[in-house]
Amino acid sequence: MVLILKRIILIFSFLFLASGTIFAQRIPVVGVMPFEVRGSGVTSADTVNITNRIIAELSSWGTLSVVQGSGGAEYIIRGTISRQGAVFILSAETVNAGTGQILNEYSEQIAVGGEASLFLFCAKAVERVPLPNYLVGLWRSSLPMPDGPVVCIIEFKSDRTVVVERYDTWEHKQNNAIRYEGYGAGAYSYAGFANRHITVNSQAVRIDAIVNVNLTLEETLPEQTAVNQPGLSLVFNSEKTAFDIVNGLLPCGTNHDGPSVYPSSVLGFTSFNKIQ
């Protein structure tokens, strides 16, 4: 027996987006000034090396256009390098080139010698630079189930709010399937981390962003009325028209009756395609 509880949904924004143009994300231009020496124990070769490594790290992310110096830059990173014993201390600020406003000030320590990672320093440097958010838009995910697909249609907005136009929840127990077509709203945070790797199932996976998602849903199974999923790692395709959650899911139901119904006991949305 299949019991399906439905509500009629008018998805005007979906129809509008499907017929409209998807605007490209804008890439900001960041200039890195040569770091200056402060105090003793730092050579000019040290500053050149560290400055070049900062440029290389930021350039590898794929979310910035990075130049050396200030020419053509919208945001400028400028700083100093000092030394205390076996560590270099990098102190810097990021400035809006157009207004002269200091966006933030920060520092980081790295070991003298070797090639210590500058990722954390660079993340601080562009913390307030408006990096492109490839999650903005309307997305759809679908799970094929014996009684029909379980569907999620969700819109991530540029102001970090979420509109959930459809969020199916599904349960299979004792040969009965129940589906609810839910809806709701919420909020999210987005941090682009191109060129970062995490380990998933003993495999190194390059991720593009880390997302926290908090949803309040109606007309769902009781356990899905609140969906709070922190630290979801996303991998986008090259066109940014699809993404996979590689270290978690957006939960949408439970299978109590074994792999003949569904491979796992927990259902969740993990693969999304942009609706165009």
Side-chain angles (χ1 to χ4, degrees):
M1 179 183 71
V2 178
L3 175 62
I4 303 176
L5 306 180
K6 294 184 176 180
R7 79 183 172 93
I8 300 174
I9 307 172
L10 299 177
I11 312 178
F12 291 114
S13 60
F14 162 71
L15 295 176
F16 175 80
L17 185 58
S19 60
T21 301
I22 306 299
F23 293 95
Q25 292 279 348
R26 189 174 179 280
I27 305 295
V29 182
V30 175
V32 180
M33 302 295 293
F35 275 54
E36 299 178 356
V37 174
R38 176 176 291 177
S40 61
V42 183
T43 67
S44 59
D46 292 329
T47 63
V48 170
N49 176 52
I50 291 175
T51 301
N52 288 340
R53 287 171 56 202
I54 291 170
I55 293 171
E57 173 68 28
L58 290 170
S59 298
S60 74
W61 292 7
T63 53
L64 295 164
S65 177
V66 185
V67 298
Q68 186 164 14
S70 59
E74 300 168 274
Y75 304 92
I76 299 172
I77 297 169
R78 59 193 185 196
T80 63
I81 303 174
S82 59
R83 178 170 177 171
Q84 288 186 0
V87 299
F88 287 129
I89 300 174
L90 281 60
S91 300
E93 60 187 17
T94 300
V95 180
N96 184 315
T99 66
Q101 177 189 9
I102 297 175
L103 301 182
N104 61 327
E105 299 175 295
Y106 42 91
S107 63
E108 189 71 30
Q109 296 183 8
I110 63 170
V112 173
E115 294 293 318
S117 172
L118 290 169
F119 175 81
L120 291 178
F121 176 84
C122 291
K124 293 177 181 178
V126 297
E127 184 178 44
R128 298 187 180 178
V129 173
L131 300 177
N133 180 353
Y134 297 119
L135 194 58
V136 171
L138 190 65
W139 302 84
R140 185 181 190 274
S141 182
S142 179
L143 299 175
M145 304 308 295
D147 60 316
V150 176
V151 175
C152 176
I153 298 175
I154 187 168
E155 182 179 8
F156 295 93
K157 294 181 171 289
S158 60
D159 63 359
R160 299 302 197 265
T161 61
V162 181
V163 175
V164 184
E165 297 187 351
R166 178 172 171 179
Y167 198 105
D168 290 357
T169 55
W170 186 92
E171 182 178 46
H172 198 281
K173 181 185 291 186
Q174 298 177 351
N175 299 318
N176 295 326
I178 301 176
R179 184 192 295 109
Y180 294 78
E181 291 185 5
Y183 61 97
Y188 75 103
S189 64
Y190 178 94
F193 288 100
N195 202 37
R196 181 174 176 177
H197 290 76
I198 65 170
T199 301
V200 178
N201 296 326
S202 302
Q203 299 292 322
V205 178
R206 178 188 179 278
I207 65 171
D208 298 309
I210 294 177
V211 178
N212 301 322
V213 179
N214 300 283
L215 306 177
T216 300
L217 303 173
E218 299 182 42
E219 297 188 15
T220 66
L221 289 169
E223 56 267 32
Q224 267 81 58
T225 55
V227 173
N228 300 305
Q229 297 295 94
L232 297 176
S233 297
L234 308 187
V235 175
F236 289 92
N237 66 353
S238 58
E239 294 80 19
K240 305 300 188 290
T241 58
F243 71 84
D244 291 316
I245 303 172
V246 296
N247 68 334
L249 47 75
L250 295 180
C252 62
T254 307
N255 166 38
H256 299 277
D257 297 317
S260 62
V261 176
Y262 190 73
S264 64
S265 60
V266 177
L267 278 72
F269 300 112
T270 60
S271 297
F272 289 79
N273 291 291
K274 201 163 194 176
I275 299 174
Q276 298 184 10

